[in-house]
Amino acid sequence: MTLRKFLATATTVAVLTGALSLTAGTAASAGGDVRATVFVVHGIPGVNVDVCISGLGEVASRLPYAERFKKRLDAGTYRVKVRTVSRGECKGDVLAKAPLTVADLDNVTAVVRYIDGNPGISTFDNDVTPTASGEIRFVAAHMMKGAAVDVWANGSVEIASLARGATGAIALGD
């Protein structure tokens, strides 16, 4: 496999597992909705799952690999459980679980993935502060097993040696 094919494959995998996001922030309007925004991305290949959040029941049923969903939550602490698909809502075997604490206006991504060989959930905050006119914020989170990686955009390395479990962000303009 050539380096170019490897980078294309790695980038595709990163995009599919939600490890790569582009965000453009907007300021919250006064008196508007103050709930937190939570994205959950399913990054465990070969299995569909149900995602359950305490107090809400099943919020994603039969979620396939590489899919994501968005949920608005009031501030508080929740328990996220990823379960095998079953006939009853939130009744399958628990594959992974993690607490999730969100405040008003938080914007968070939870990635369901293998952690040291076992299913787990990694969460990170999304920076949605406004960017300069004509710019986007390019964010990469290295969630895959392996060594540090270089993140490419616009034909060059934009984030060098991103370590596993770390995130990096840069502003990209026109």
Side-chain angles (χ1 to χ4, degrees), residues 35-58:
R35 291 179 293 171
T37 303
V38 177
F39 296 91
V40 178
V41 181
H42 176 16
I44 298 176
V47 62
N48 291 349
V49 298
D50 292 338
V51 178
C52 308
I53 298 178
S54 61
L56 302 177
E58 190 174 75

Side-chain angles (χ1 to χ4, degrees), residues 13-71:
V13 169
V15 171
L16 289 177
T17 60
L20 189 63
S21 350
L22 296 175
T23 61
T26 57
S29 59
D33 188 359
V34 294
R35 291 179 293 171
T37 303
V38 177
F39 296 91
V40 178
V41 181
H42 176 16
I44 298 176
V47 62
N48 291 349
V49 298
D50 292 338
V51 178
C52 308
I53 298 178
S54 61
L56 302 177
E58 190 174 75
V59 294
S61 177
R62 302 187 187 310
L63 188 68
Y65 169 68
E67 289 293 318
R68 70 181 183 137
F69 70 89
K70 174 180 160 181
K71 188 72 181 169

Side-chain angles (χ1 to χ4, degrees), residues 85-108:
V85 173
S86 70
R87 292 178 190 234
E89 183 176 291
C90 291
K91 299 294 183 193
D93 294 331
V94 175
L95 297 174
K97 61 183 177 180
L100 176 64
T101 301
V102 293
D104 290 339
L105 300 177
D106 273 355
N107 192 301
V108 178

